[in-house]
Amino acid sequence: KLSDADKAKLKNMNAELARLGTKFSQNVLAEVNASYIVVDDVKQLDGLSAGQIAAAAEAAKARKLDGKYVIALLNTTGQPALTNLTDRALRQKIHETSVSRGSKGGEYDNTALVSRIMTLRAQKAALMGFPNYAAYGLGNQTAKTPEAVNAMLGQLAPAAVANARREAADLQAMIDREQKAAGKPGFELQPWDWAFYSEKVRQAKYNFDESQLKPYFELKNVLENGVFFAAGKEFGLSFKQRTDLPVYHDDVTVYDVFDADGSQLAIFIFDPYARASKRGGAWMNAYVSQSGLTGDKPVVANHLNIPKPPAGKPTLLTWDEVTTTFHEFGHALHGMFSNVKYPYFSGTAVPRDFVEFPSQVNEMWADEPTILANYAKHYQNCSAMPQALLEKVIAASKFN
Ligand SMILES: [Zn+2]
């Protein structure tokens, strides 16, 4: 039990940690918005689709750089353009801009914040009687101890590293072959080459490229005939779009979610597009937590960062974005099926090292053949994805 003096100390630490945490996130968002790459000549964008080039021109206009092109960064380490850009120097620039965020100096640098957060965490753990912050943080997780975490990582890491080395060897072989065929000097695989040559190896191995798939993965179709369809098959859920509720952004759609017996289970908010004010990645949020005590039904949202297409163009997803949509909906299901008395324990308020379980399971429906066949339809003529391509998708989804 803490003395009054220690309680006061803990309160101060928690307050400072909360402040630093908020500042950290604000810096991350400000830095990603400030870290775009300007391209003068459209030739440098070789490899991008017409849609991607149009988006880059629009992004430049939005920054008053008319006539130029802007590659805006997503708030992830990898950047989608790296898959397609043939200009290696530009790939390097994008990658380096991406990974230097937060630690390159300047007003949004988080280095000092991280150092202060770690100091405070170590002090907090000591105050609470733990040898370190990892032990303190894991006390109420399913893993329980740092030893258990390290034992599991010790099992995973050798297999993961072996896989990565095998993939790197495949990529290097592709580079060597291509450079030789073009009569150009070879080079060593670098991080900014990984996505680009992965896509080439994938094309060679499975004989298709991402751009062949995208027309079959229109966003609303993936959501309604893929994600919702799977939830209908698995749990008997049904969904009805609502247009009468006020939303915080025009791009947001809202659905009533009905349980198998027809009663209302939840409201689902779908917010797919990247915006300058939005934090990166994809996540689920419960705006109203289910609670037997208050009688509240859950209102849950999925927030994604899919690049918004130019006006009038359809939103066509990559395979990665399709699986992310399924994944995040697994978290949404976790929140919607919550059945507890106290809102404190509602939905995804479970140990952090369990919380990815429902989402990982839901993600597996994306390439389940009957589900995939139900949503993989061409956005222009609704034609089904050709069986051969469908099979390649399933095979290639196990690749990289
Ligand atoms: Zn997740």
Side-chain angles (χ1 to χ4, degrees), residues 282 327-328 331 355-356 359-360:
H327 176 102
E328 292 309 324
H331 291 304
V355 77
E356 292 303 319
S359 50
Q360 297 276 342

Side-chain angles (χ1 to χ4, degrees), residues 268-282:
F268 176 63
I269 298 170
F270 189 58
D271 175 11
Y273 296 120
R275 290 191 293 278
S277 58
K278 202 178 196 177
R279 96 168 137 91

Side-chain angles (χ1 to χ4, degrees), residues 39 41-48 53 56 69 71 85-86 90:
V39 174
D41 187 348
V42 71
K43 279 201 204 94
Q44 285 183 276
L45 298 180
D46 180 52
L48 296 190
I53 291 171
Y69 302 87
I71 312 254
L85 283 172
T86 61
L90 181 56

Side-chain angles (χ1 to χ4, degrees), residues 362-379:
N362 205 59
E363 197 179 322
M364 296 197 289
W365 297 123
D367 65 355
E368 198 283 327
T370 60
I371 307 283
L372 181 59
N374 196 65
Y375 72 85
K377 305 234 168 100
H378 200 284
Y379 78 97

